[in-house]
Amino acid sequence: MRATYYLADAADWHAVGPVLGETFDSIRPAATGIVTGLVTPEMKIEIEATAFRG
């Protein structure tokens, strides 16, 4: 699995990081975090995930 996390504000990582770690603990995806503008100001994070099920 691969995941890319797009955050609107780098300061939110302290709240988001532990939740992602707990959620994906057993999966341990290759992951990248990017701080960028999102489509609307209400959006705090966007998660793009790619998984293969063989």
Side-chain angles (χ1 to χ4, degrees):
M1 180 177 170
R2 180 185 65 197
T4 304
Y5 311 117
Y6 300 94
L7 289 124
D9 185 346
D12 290 338
W13 184 254
H14 297 291
V16 171
V19 174
L20 294 171
E22 184 178 312
T23 302
F24 295 120
D25 181 50
S26 63
I27 301 169
R28 306 289 296 172
T32 301
I34 299 171
V35 178
T36 186
L38 297 175
V39 176
T40 64
E42 296 82 18
M43 293 177 66
K44 303 294 182 189
I45 186 170
E46 179 177 328
I47 301 171
E48 176 183 12
T50 305
F52 173 76
R53 184 178 212 172

